[in-house]
Amino acid sequence: MHVLIVGGGLGGLSLAQCLRKQGISFEIFERDADADARFQGWAIGIHTIISQLEEAFPDDMPGLKEATNHLDPLDLPAQMGLYYPGRPRLGIQDTPEHPIVRSERRRLRDWLATNLDIQWGKRVKSIEHDDNGVSVFFEDGTSAKGDLLVGADGIKSVVREHLLQKPSSELLQLVPLAAIVGEVTLSGEAFKRQLALGHSAYIFVSPDLGFWNFGGLHHALPDGVSGRHYWMFMHPDPKVADPDHWLQTATQQEKLDYVLKAVSKMPEKFREVFELTPASGVKKEPHIWRDLELESLPAGRVILVGDAAHAMTPFRGEGGYHTFIDTLKLSKILGKLDVTDIAAVKAAVAEYNEEMLERGTDAVRSSRNEQSASKTKDTKSKVVSAMQHVKPMPEQEIILEARA
Ligand SMILES: Cc1cc2nc3c(=O)[nH]c(=O)nc-3n(C[C@H](O)[C@H](O)[C@H](O)COP(=O)(O)OP(=O)(O)OC[C@H]3O[C@@H](n4cnc5c(N)ncnc54)[C@H](O)[C@@H]3O)c2cc1C
Protein backbone atom coordinates (compact mmCIF):
# COMPACT_ATOMS: atom_id res chain seq x y z
CA MET A 1 0.00 0.00 0.00
CA HIS A 2 1.25 3.52 -0.78
CA VAL A 3 -0.59 6.48 0.81
CA LEU A 4 -0.33 10.04 -0.54
CA ILE A 5 -0.86 12.64 2.20
CA VAL A 6 -1.72 16.19 1.11
CA GLY A 7 -0.94 18.76 3.83
CA GLY A 8 1.90 18.86 6.35
CA GLY A 9 -0.14 20.32 9.22
CA LEU A 10 -1.38 18.67 12.35
CA GLY A 11 -3.49 16.02 10.58
CA GLY A 12 -1.10 15.11 7.76
CA LEU A 13 1.92 14.78 10.03
CA SER A 14 0.15 12.84 12.76
CA LEU A 15 -1.24 10.40 10.18
CA ALA A 16 2.26 10.05 8.72
CA GLN A 17 3.67 9.18 12.17
CA CYS A 18 0.98 6.51 12.70
CA LEU A 19 1.79 5.01 9.28
CA ARG A 20 5.54 5.15 9.98
CA LYS A 21 4.97 3.19 13.19
CA GLN A 22 3.08 0.52 11.22
CA GLY A 23 5.63 0.37 8.40
CA ILE A 24 3.08 1.56 5.80
CA SER A 25 4.57 3.37 2.79
CA PHE A 26 3.57 7.05 2.39
CA GLU A 27 4.62 10.45 1.02
CA ILE A 28 3.64 13.87 2.45
CA PHE A 29 3.19 16.91 0.22
CA GLU A 30 3.03 20.42 1.67
CA ARG A 31 2.36 23.61 -0.31
CA ASP A 32 4.64 25.82 1.82
CA ALA A 33 8.22 26.28 0.61
CA ASP A 34 9.64 25.32 4.03
CA ALA A 35 8.80 25.06 7.73
CA ASP A 36 9.23 28.84 8.23
CA ALA A 37 6.96 29.95 5.38
CA ARG A 38 3.79 30.45 7.42
CA PHE A 39 2.94 31.43 10.99
CA GLN A 40 1.65 28.24 12.61
CA GLY A 41 -0.58 29.86 15.26
CA TRP A 42 -0.05 30.35 18.97
CA ALA A 43 -0.76 27.38 21.22
CA ILE A 44 -3.08 24.40 21.35
CA GLY A 45 -4.22 22.20 24.23
CA ILE A 46 -3.65 18.46 23.86
CA HIS A 47 -5.44 16.28 26.37
CA THR A 48 -7.45 13.04 26.78
CA ILE A 49 -5.56 11.28 23.96
CA ILE A 50 -1.93 11.95 24.91
CA SER A 51 -1.24 8.30 25.77
CA GLN A 52 -3.04 7.10 22.61
CA LEU A 53 -0.85 9.37 20.50
CA GLU A 54 2.33 8.21 22.23
CA GLU A 55 1.30 4.60 21.62
CA ALA A 56 0.43 5.17 17.96
CA PHE A 57 3.59 7.17 17.17
CA PRO A 58 7.08 5.67 16.70
CA ASP A 59 9.39 5.31 19.70
CA ASP A 60 11.99 7.77 18.35
CA MET A 61 9.67 10.75 19.05
CA PRO A 62 10.72 12.88 22.04
CA GLY A 63 8.13 13.33 24.82
CA LEU A 64 5.26 15.66 23.79
CA LYS A 65 5.47 17.84 26.90
CA GLU A 66 9.27 18.19 26.91
CA ALA A 67 9.28 19.09 23.22
CA THR A 68 6.33 21.47 22.99
CA ASN A 69 5.18 22.88 26.39
CA HIS A 70 4.48 26.59 25.87
CA LEU A 71 5.05 27.33 29.58
CA ASP A 72 8.62 26.06 29.48
CA PRO A 73 10.82 27.11 31.42
CA LEU A 74 8.18 28.11 34.01
CA ASP A 75 7.25 25.55 36.62
CA LEU A 76 3.49 25.95 36.17
CA PRO A 77 0.84 23.48 34.97
CA ALA A 78 -1.14 24.20 31.81
CA GLN A 79 -4.29 25.96 32.96
CA MET A 80 -7.32 27.61 31.38
CA GLY A 81 -9.37 30.17 33.33
CA LEU A 82 -12.98 31.01 32.50
CA TYR A 83 -14.70 34.17 33.67
CA TYR A 84 -18.46 34.11 33.12
CA PRO A 85 -20.94 36.60 34.53
CA GLY A 86 -22.45 35.62 37.87
CA ARG A 87 -20.11 32.69 38.43
CA PRO A 88 -16.95 32.09 40.44
CA ARG A 89 -13.66 31.80 38.57
CA LEU A 90 -13.88 28.53 36.65
CA GLY A 91 -11.18 26.52 34.98
CA ILE A 92 -9.31 23.36 34.17
CA GLN A 93 -5.69 22.49 34.65
CA ASP A 94 -3.10 19.83 33.95
CA THR A 95 -3.20 17.17 36.68
CA PRO A 96 -1.87 13.58 36.85
CA GLU A 97 -5.49 12.32 36.49
CA HIS A 98 -6.31 14.65 33.56
CA PRO A 99 -3.03 15.52 31.79
CA ILE A 100 -3.10 18.57 29.51
CA VAL A 101 -0.15 19.78 27.45
CA ARG A 102 -0.53 23.21 25.95
CA SER A 103 1.78 23.04 22.96
CA GLU A 104 3.40 25.97 21.19
CA ARG A 105 2.25 25.48 17.59
CA ARG A 106 5.59 25.77 15.83
CA ARG A 107 7.25 23.40 18.29
CA LEU A 108 4.29 21.03 17.91
CA ARG A 109 4.70 20.96 14.16
CA ASP A 110 8.45 20.34 14.51
CA TRP A 111 7.70 17.51 16.95
CA LEU A 112 5.13 15.98 14.61
CA ALA A 113 7.68 16.23 11.78
CA THR A 114 10.28 14.12 13.67
CA ASN A 115 12.11 11.90 11.15
CA LEU A 116 9.55 12.55 8.40
CA ASP A 117 10.58 13.41 4.86
CA ILE A 118 8.15 16.25 4.01
CA GLN A 119 8.09 17.26 0.34
CA TRP A 120 7.90 21.07 0.54
CA GLY A 121 6.70 23.42 -2.20
CA LYS A 122 4.13 20.86 -3.46
CA ARG A 123 0.84 22.70 -3.88
CA VAL A 124 -1.85 20.35 -5.18
CA LYS A 125 -3.53 21.55 -8.32
CA SER A 126 -5.66 18.59 -9.34
CA ILE A 127 -6.42 14.98 -8.54
CA GLU A 128 -7.55 12.00 -10.61
CA HIS A 129 -8.85 8.82 -9.05
CA ASP A 130 -10.73 5.66 -9.94
CA ASP A 131 -11.13 2.18 -8.46
CA ASN A 132 -7.53 1.28 -9.33
CA GLY A 133 -5.59 4.19 -7.81
CA VAL A 134 -5.02 7.91 -7.32
CA SER A 135 -2.79 10.47 -9.08
CA VAL A 136 -2.07 13.91 -7.73
CA PHE A 137 -0.70 16.80 -9.80
CA PHE A 138 1.21 19.74 -8.34
CA GLU A 139 1.55 23.33 -9.46
CA ASP A 140 5.29 22.80 -10.07
CA GLY A 141 4.44 20.35 -12.88
CA THR A 142 5.30 17.15 -10.98
CA SER A 143 2.89 14.39 -9.97
CA ALA A 144 2.65 11.30 -7.75
CA LYS A 145 0.67 8.03 -7.77
CA GLY A 146 -0.67 5.98 -4.89
CA ASP A 147 -3.35 3.56 -3.74
CA LEU A 148 -5.03 6.07 -1.42
CA LEU A 149 -4.94 9.85 -1.02
CA VAL A 150 -5.63 11.55 2.30
CA GLY A 151 -6.65 15.22 2.19
CA ALA A 152 -5.23 16.85 5.32
CA ASP A 153 -5.13 20.22 3.61
CA GLY A 154 -7.15 22.28 6.05
CA ILE A 155 -10.24 24.46 5.88
CA LYS A 156 -9.90 25.44 2.21
CA SER A 157 -9.14 21.87 1.13
CA VAL A 158 -8.49 21.37 -2.58
CA VAL A 159 -8.91 17.63 -2.00
CA ARG A 160 -12.44 18.23 -0.65
CA GLU A 161 -13.23 20.38 -3.68
CA HIS A 162 -12.16 17.50 -5.92
CA LEU A 163 -14.10 14.91 -3.94
CA LEU A 164 -17.35 16.88 -3.72
CA GLN A 165 -16.98 18.92 -6.91
CA LYS A 166 -17.99 22.02 -4.93
CA PRO A 167 -15.91 25.11 -4.17
CA SER A 168 -15.10 25.94 -0.53
CA SER A 169 -17.11 29.16 -0.90
CA GLU A 170 -20.30 27.05 -1.23
CA LEU A 171 -19.54 24.85 1.78
CA LEU A 172 -17.97 27.05 4.44
CA GLN A 173 -20.40 28.89 6.72
CA LEU A 174 -19.75 32.35 8.04
CA VAL A 175 -19.56 32.63 11.84
CA PRO A 176 -21.06 36.07 12.51
CA LEU A 177 -18.37 37.39 14.83
CA ALA A 178 -16.05 40.33 14.39
CA ALA A 179 -12.59 39.68 15.81
CA ILE A 180 -9.64 41.95 16.53
CA VAL A 181 -6.41 40.21 17.42
CA GLY A 182 -3.36 41.61 19.25
CA GLU A 183 0.03 40.44 20.53
CA VAL A 184 2.29 41.81 23.25
CA THR A 185 5.37 40.76 25.22
CA LEU A 186 4.91 41.14 28.99
CA SER A 187 7.55 41.00 31.73
CA GLY A 188 7.80 40.93 35.50
CA GLU A 189 4.66 41.93 37.45
CA ALA A 190 2.50 42.42 34.34
CA PHE A 191 3.49 38.92 33.14
CA LYS A 192 2.61 37.50 36.57
CA ARG A 193 -0.79 39.21 36.53
CA GLN A 194 -1.63 37.68 33.12
CA LEU A 195 -0.51 34.22 34.27
CA ALA A 196 -2.71 34.59 37.36
CA LEU A 197 -5.78 34.91 35.11
CA GLY A 198 -4.97 31.49 33.59
CA HIS A 199 -1.42 30.18 33.15
CA SER A 200 -2.06 29.14 29.56
CA ALA A 201 -5.13 31.12 28.58
CA TYR A 202 -8.42 32.54 29.80
CA ILE A 203 -11.79 33.48 28.43
CA PHE A 204 -13.64 36.53 29.69
CA VAL A 205 -17.26 36.60 28.63
CA SER A 206 -19.45 39.63 29.08
CA PRO A 207 -22.80 39.49 27.25
CA ASP A 208 -23.84 42.73 28.99
CA LEU A 209 -20.84 44.61 27.61
CA GLY A 210 -21.48 42.92 24.26
CA PHE A 211 -18.14 41.17 23.71
CA TRP A 212 -15.84 38.46 24.92
CA ASN A 213 -12.08 37.99 24.97
CA PHE A 214 -9.73 35.05 24.63
CA GLY A 215 -6.40 35.91 26.24
CA GLY A 216 -3.58 33.41 25.78
CA LEU A 217 0.08 32.86 26.41
CA HIS A 218 1.78 32.10 23.12
CA HIS A 219 4.94 31.02 24.93
CA ALA A 220 7.08 31.91 27.91
CA LEU A 221 10.51 33.37 27.15
CA PRO A 222 13.78 31.68 28.22
CA ASP A 223 14.46 34.37 30.91
CA GLY A 224 11.68 32.83 33.04
CA VAL A 225 10.07 36.21 33.80
CA SER A 226 8.47 37.21 30.46
CA GLY A 227 6.21 35.83 27.79
CA ARG A 228 4.50 36.54 24.48
CA HIS A 229 0.74 36.98 24.89
CA TYR A 230 -2.09 37.26 22.39
CA TRP A 231 -5.70 38.25 22.66
CA MET A 232 -8.79 37.94 20.51
CA PHE A 233 -11.50 40.46 21.16
CA MET A 234 -14.81 39.34 19.62
CA HIS A 235 -18.40 40.44 19.36
CA PRO A 236 -21.42 39.36 17.29
CA ASP A 237 -21.51 41.00 13.86
CA PRO A 238 -23.50 39.41 11.02
CA LYS A 239 -21.99 41.86 8.51
CA VAL A 240 -18.35 41.04 9.30
CA ALA A 241 -17.64 39.59 5.84
CA ASP A 242 -19.12 42.53 3.89
CA PRO A 243 -16.48 44.00 1.57
CA ASP A 244 -17.15 47.51 2.95
CA HIS A 245 -17.00 46.50 6.63
CA TRP A 246 -14.85 48.96 8.59
CA LEU A 247 -12.49 46.18 9.73
CA GLN A 248 -11.50 45.53 6.11
CA THR A 249 -9.66 48.83 5.93
CA ALA A 250 -9.16 49.96 9.56
CA THR A 251 -5.61 50.80 10.63
CA GLN A 252 -3.97 49.01 13.55
CA GLN A 253 -4.39 52.17 15.68
CA GLU A 254 -8.10 52.44 14.77
CA LYS A 255 -8.66 48.83 15.80
CA LEU A 256 -6.79 49.30 19.07
CA ASP A 257 -8.73 52.50 19.86
CA TYR A 258 -12.00 50.65 19.23
CA VAL A 259 -11.00 47.83 21.57
CA LEU A 260 -9.75 50.20 24.29
CA LYS A 261 -13.06 52.06 24.25
CA ALA A 262 -15.07 48.82 24.42
CA VAL A 263 -13.02 47.34 27.27
CA SER A 264 -13.01 50.52 29.37
CA LYS A 265 -15.77 49.08 31.58
CA MET A 266 -13.95 45.80 32.20
CA PRO A 267 -12.31 45.20 35.58
CA GLU A 268 -8.74 46.54 35.49
CA LYS A 269 -7.01 43.15 35.59
CA PHE A 270 -8.74 42.12 32.34
CA ARG A 271 -8.12 45.50 30.65
CA GLU A 272 -4.39 45.50 31.23
CA VAL A 273 -3.36 43.25 28.32
CA PHE A 274 -5.12 45.58 25.84
CA GLU A 275 -3.70 48.71 27.44
CA LEU A 276 -0.15 47.36 27.23
CA THR A 277 -0.46 46.33 23.57
CA PRO A 278 1.15 48.76 21.11
CA ALA A 279 -0.74 49.55 17.90
CA SER A 280 2.00 47.67 16.02
CA GLY A 281 0.95 44.53 17.96
CA VAL A 282 -2.57 44.58 16.47
CA LYS A 283 -3.03 42.24 13.50
CA LYS A 284 -3.44 44.10 10.23
CA GLU A 285 -5.51 41.45 8.45
CA PRO A 286 -9.25 41.20 9.18
CA HIS A 287 -10.13 37.93 10.89
CA ILE A 288 -13.23 36.11 9.68
CA TRP A 289 -14.29 32.79 11.21
CA ARG A 290 -15.87 30.13 9.07
CA ASP A 291 -16.84 26.56 9.86
CA LEU A 292 -17.96 23.48 7.96
CA GLU A 293 -20.68 20.87 8.37
CA LEU A 294 -20.70 18.03 5.84
CA GLU A 295 -23.56 15.54 5.74
CA SER A 296 -21.75 12.84 3.83
CA LEU A 297 -18.68 12.04 1.76
CA PRO A 298 -18.17 9.56 -1.07
CA ALA A 299 -16.26 6.45 0.08
CA GLY A 300 -13.33 5.44 -2.09
CA ARG A 301 -9.62 6.02 -2.52
CA VAL A 302 -9.74 9.71 -1.50
CA ILE A 303 -10.25 10.36 2.22
CA LEU A 304 -10.42 13.52 4.35
CA VAL A 305 -9.13 14.23 7.87
CA GLY A 306 -9.24 17.27 10.15
CA ASP A 307 -10.35 20.74 9.11
CA ALA A 308 -10.85 19.57 5.52
CA ALA A 309 -13.86 17.60 6.82
CA HIS A 310 -15.00 19.51 9.91
CA ALA A 311 -13.43 22.95 10.35
CA MET A 312 -14.73 24.56 13.55
CA THR A 313 -14.25 27.70 15.61
CA PRO A 314 -11.62 27.30 18.34
CA PHE A 315 -14.00 28.25 21.19
CA ARG A 316 -13.94 24.79 22.78
CA GLY A 317 -10.36 24.03 21.74
CA GLU A 318 -11.42 20.88 19.87
CA GLY A 319 -10.44 21.24 16.19
CA GLY A 320 -6.97 19.80 16.67
CA TYR A 321 -8.28 17.17 19.08
CA HIS A 322 -10.75 15.83 16.50
CA THR A 323 -8.06 15.95 13.82
CA PHE A 324 -5.88 13.68 15.98
CA ILE A 325 -8.81 11.33 16.60
CA ASP A 326 -9.39 11.13 12.83
CA THR A 327 -5.80 10.15 12.18
CA LEU A 328 -5.68 7.63 15.04
CA LYS A 329 -8.85 5.94 13.76
CA LEU A 330 -7.93 6.09 10.07
CA SER A 331 -4.43 4.70 10.63
CA LYS A 332 -5.87 1.70 12.48
CA ILE A 333 -8.21 1.03 9.55
CA LEU A 334 -5.38 1.37 7.02
CA GLY A 335 -3.23 -1.05 9.03
CA LYS A 336 -5.74 -3.84 8.29
CA LEU A 337 -6.80 -2.88 4.76
CA ASP A 338 -6.19 -4.83 1.53
CA VAL A 339 -6.00 -1.91 -0.94
CA THR A 340 -6.26 -4.21 -3.96
CA ASP A 341 -9.85 -5.04 -2.94
CA ILE A 342 -11.88 -1.95 -3.90
CA ALA A 343 -15.04 -3.24 -2.21
CA ALA A 344 -13.11 -3.58 1.06
CA VAL A 345 -11.64 -0.06 0.59
CA LYS A 346 -15.09 1.45 0.05
CA ALA A 347 -16.59 -0.35 3.04
CA ALA A 348 -13.73 0.65 5.37
CA VAL A 349 -13.75 4.30 4.23
CA ALA A 350 -17.56 4.49 4.51
CA GLU A 351 -17.32 3.29 8.12
CA TYR A 352 -14.56 5.81 8.88
CA ASN A 353 -16.54 8.65 7.21
CA GLU A 354 -19.72 7.92 9.13
CA GLU A 355 -18.08 8.05 12.57
CA MET A 356 -15.78 10.96 11.67
CA LEU A 357 -18.55 13.17 10.24
CA GLU A 358 -20.96 12.54 13.10
CA ARG A 359 -18.30 13.27 15.75
CA GLY A 360 -16.83 16.20 13.81
CA THR A 361 -20.15 17.84 12.98
CA ASP A 362 -21.30 17.63 16.60
CA ALA A 363 -18.10 19.41 17.59
CA VAL A 364 -18.58 22.08 14.88
CA ARG A 365 -22.05 22.88 16.25
CA SER A 366 -21.03 22.85 19.91
CA SER A 367 -18.00 25.04 19.19
CA ARG A 368 -20.10 27.61 17.34
CA ASN A 369 -22.59 27.89 20.19
CA GLU A 370 -20.14 27.76 23.08
CA GLN A 371 -20.01 31.52 23.68
CA SER A 372 -23.56 32.38 22.64
CA ALA A 373 -25.21 34.98 24.90
CA SER A 374 -28.01 32.59 25.88
CA LYS A 375 -25.52 29.97 27.00
CA THR A 376 -23.12 32.28 28.84
CA LYS A 377 -25.93 34.13 30.64
CA ASP A 378 -27.33 30.86 31.97
CA THR A 379 -25.32 30.47 35.17
CA LYS A 380 -26.24 26.78 35.40
CA SER A 381 -25.20 25.70 31.89
CA LYS A 382 -22.27 23.27 31.75
CA VAL A 383 -19.08 24.73 30.29
CA VAL A 384 -16.67 22.37 28.55
CA SER A 385 -13.00 22.96 27.90
CA ALA A 386 -10.40 20.34 26.90
CA MET A 387 -13.26 17.78 26.94
CA GLN A 388 -13.83 18.37 30.67
CA HIS A 389 -16.59 20.15 32.54
CA VAL A 390 -14.87 23.16 34.07
CA LYS A 391 -14.84 23.55 37.87
CA PRO A 392 -14.42 26.47 40.28
CA MET A 393 -10.71 27.32 40.49
CA PRO A 394 -9.42 29.56 43.28
CA GLU A 395 -6.90 32.27 42.39
CA GLN A 396 -3.24 31.49 43.16
CA GLU A 397 -0.17 33.63 43.65
CA ILE A 398 2.34 33.30 40.81
CA ILE A 399 6.00 33.06 41.80
CA LEU A 400 8.59 33.30 39.03
CA GLU A 401 12.29 32.62 39.07
CA ALA A 402 14.63 34.49 36.70
CA ARG A 403 16.88 32.15 34.67
CA ALA A 404 20.52 32.87 33.90
C1 LIG B 1 -6.74 30.73 16.23
C2 LIG B 1 -6.96 29.24 16.32
C3 LIG B 1 -6.79 28.61 17.55
C4 LIG B 1 -6.99 27.23 17.66
N1 LIG B 1 -6.85 26.65 18.88
C5 LIG B 1 -7.08 25.32 19.02
C6 LIG B 1 -6.94 24.68 20.29
O1 LIG B 1 -6.61 25.29 21.30
N2 LIG B 1 -7.19 23.36 20.37
C7 LIG B 1 -7.55 22.60 19.26
O2 LIG B 1 -7.75 21.39 19.40
N3 LIG B 1 -7.68 23.18 18.04
C8 LIG B 1 -7.46 24.50 17.90
N4 LIG B 1 -7.58 25.09 16.67
C9 LIG B 1 -7.95 24.25 15.52
C10 LIG B 1 -6.74 23.54 14.91
O3 LIG B 1 -5.72 24.48 14.64
C11 LIG B 1 -7.16 22.84 13.62
O4 LIG B 1 -8.29 22.07 13.85
C12 LIG B 1 -6.02 21.94 13.10
O5 LIG B 1 -4.89 22.71 12.78
C13 LIG B 1 -6.48 21.18 11.86
O6 LIG B 1 -5.40 20.43 11.34
P1 LIG B 1 -5.37 20.07 9.79
O7 LIG B 1 -4.12 19.25 9.61
O8 LIG B 1 -6.66 19.52 9.38
O9 LIG B 1 -5.22 21.46 9.03
P2 LIG B 1 -4.04 22.52 9.09
O10 LIG B 1 -3.36 22.50 10.40
O11 LIG B 1 -4.63 23.80 8.59
O12 LIG B 1 -2.99 21.99 8.02
C14 LIG B 1 -3.27 21.98 6.64
C15 LIG B 1 -1.95 21.93 5.88
O13 LIG B 1 -2.21 21.70 4.50
C16 LIG B 1 -1.43 22.56 3.71
N5 LIG B 1 -2.13 22.76 2.42
C17 LIG B 1 -3.26 23.48 2.22
N6 LIG B 1 -3.61 23.45 0.92
C18 LIG B 1 -2.68 22.67 0.29
C19 LIG B 1 -2.49 22.27 -1.06
N7 LIG B 1 -3.34 22.65 -2.06
N8 LIG B 1 -1.44 21.48 -1.36
C20 LIG B 1 -0.56 21.08 -0.39
N9 LIG B 1 -0.69 21.45 0.91
C21 LIG B 1 -1.73 22.23 1.24
C22 LIG B 1 -1.32 23.83 4.56
O14 LIG B 1 -0.22 24.64 4.20
C23 LIG B 1 -1.18 23.25 5.97
O15 LIG B 1 0.16 23.00 6.34
C24 LIG B 1 -7.37 26.46 16.52
C25 LIG B 1 -7.51 27.09 15.29
C26 LIG B 1 -7.32 28.47 15.19
C27 LIG B 1 -7.50 29.12 13.83
Side-chain angles (χ1 to χ4, degrees):
M1 173 180 350
H2 186 62
V3 182
L4 308 174
I5 303 174
V6 175
L10 219 137
L13 298 180
S14 57
L15 179 68
Q17 293 294 2
C18 296
L19 299 186
R20 188 163 74 91
K21 169 91 172 219
Q22 297 180 71
I24 297 174
S25 165
F26 64 87
E27 285 173 280
I28 319 169
F29 306 100
E30 166 57 47
R31 68 178 166 186
D32 287 344
D34 55 46
D36 299 318
R38 190 186 305 266
F39 174 60
Q40 291 298 306
W42 295 281
I44 178 170
I46 305 182
H47 46 78
T48 339
I49 48 165
I50 296 173
S51 56
Q52 287 178 56
L53 289 175
E54 283 171 351
E55 215 171 283
F57 286 178
D59 299 336
D60 58 3
M61 308 264 305
L64 170 68
K65 189 166 184 178
E66 295 69 41
T68 68
N69 179 15
H70 79 148
L71 282 153
D72 186 45
L74 311 182
D75 187 17
L76 291 172
Q79 182 193 70
M80 169 77 92
L82 288 111
Y83 300 86
Y84 278 30
R87 299 201 197 194
R89 177 187 194 237
L90 300 169
I92 48 151
Q93 96 172 23
D94 175 32
T95 61
E97 303 75 51
H98 298 289
I100 302 172
V101 177
R102 188 127 178 118
S103 297
E104 196 280 321
R105 292 289 301 243
R106 172 60 202 266
R107 281 185 234 160
L108 177 63
R109 197 209 215 183
D110 289 348
W111 179 73
L112 287 169
T114 303
N115 292 331
L116 292 180
D117 177 16
I118 301 171
Q119 300 191 39
W120 299 99
K122 297 284 177 189
R123 182 187 284 270
V124 171
K125 199 173 73 172
S126 63
I127 296 162
E128 288 172 7
H129 80 282
D130 58 24
D131 284 355
N132 300 314
V134 188
S135 298
V136 58
F137 301 87
F138 302 101
E139 281 187 357
D140 65 2
T142 60
S143 62
K145 278 183 193 296
D147 298 298
L148 299 170
L149 183 145
V150 178
D153 51 344
I155 186 165
K156 290 189 186 150
S157 171
V158 171
V159 179
R160 183 185 64 229
E161 289 193 349
H162 163 78
L163 199 55
L164 296 177
Q165 292 295 304
K166 270 195 189 162
S168 293
S169 55
E170 265 184 44
L171 294 168
L172 298 177
Q173 301 183 75
L174 176 72
V175 179
L177 267 186
I180 300 177
V181 180
E183 290 177 291
V184 60
T185 299
L186 299 177
S187 284
E189 294 304 312
F191 182 44
K192 278 168 53 172
R193 286 192 292 272
Q194 278 307 297
L195 292 172
L197 296 174
H199 305 159
S200 297
Y202 61 91
I203 296 176
F204 175 93
V205 181
S206 177
D208 293 339
L209 294 178
F211 64 83
W212 57 282
N213 178 49
F214 180 95
L217 174 72
H218 178 183
H219 59 83
L221 291 169
D223 65 7
V225 290
S226 346
R228 285 287 291 161
H229 285 265
Y230 62 105
W231 48 261
M232 287 181 211
F233 168 94
M234 290 173 257
H235 64 74
D237 186 343
K239 296 198 165 154
V240 64
D242 287 2
D244 58 353
H245 193 281
W246 75 276
L247 283 173
Q248 301 286 341
T249 51
T251 64
Q252 291 162 291
Q253 186 65 56
E254 282 167 344
K255 290 187 196 178
L256 182 60
D257 290 345
Y258 179 86
V259 172
L260 290 176
K261 191 167 168 211
V263 302
S264 61
K265 294 202 182 85
M266 272 175 126
E268 190 184 350
K269 63 182 179 181
F270 295 108
R271 269 195 337 254
E272 186 177 17
V273 72
F274 305 107
E275 291 171 349
L276 293 175
T277 302
S280 60
V282 176
K283 287 264 167 212
K284 288 185 185 148
E285 313 73 40
H287 199 94
I288 293 170
W289 298 108
R290 295 189 199 275
D291 62 16
L292 171 71
E293 287 183 40
L294 293 179
E295 270 171 29
S296 63
L297 281 167
R301 294 191 180 274
V302 178
I303 310 164
L304 299 182
V305 297
D307 282 8
H310 44 61
M312 61 192 83
T313 61
F315 310 146
R316 279 163 70 109
E318 288 188 13
Y321 166 80
H322 284 285
T323 302
F324 282 131
I325 303 261
D326 294 351
T327 60
L328 287 168
K329 289 193 181 269
L330 180 61
S331 64
K332 278 200 183 130
I333 291 173
L334 298 188
K336 291 186 281 192
L337 194 61
D338 172 4
V339 278
T340 60
D341 178 352
I342 186 63
V345 169
K346 286 184 178 175
V349 174
E351 193 184 327
Y352 162 79
N353 282 346
E354 191 179 340
E355 187 282 332
M356 179 270 292
L357 288 177
E358 192 181 336
R359 172 173 46 77
T361 305
D362 267 4
V364 172
R365 292 184 186 140
S366 312
S367 299
R368 193 187 306 141
N369 295 328
E370 188 64 11
Q371 308 302 340
S372 65
S374 57
K375 179 153 189 189
T376 51
K377 274 187 174 171
D378 172 3
T379 53
K380 293 211 169 51
S381 71
K382 296 241 188 265
V383 180
V384 174
S385 182
M387 306 302 286
Q388 289 181 48
H389 285 135
V390 300
K391 300 190 188 91
M393 199 167 61
E395 299 212 3
Q396 296 157 330
E397 191 192 350
I398 304 286
I399 299 165
L400 299 179
E401 196 189 314
R403 313 280 152 142

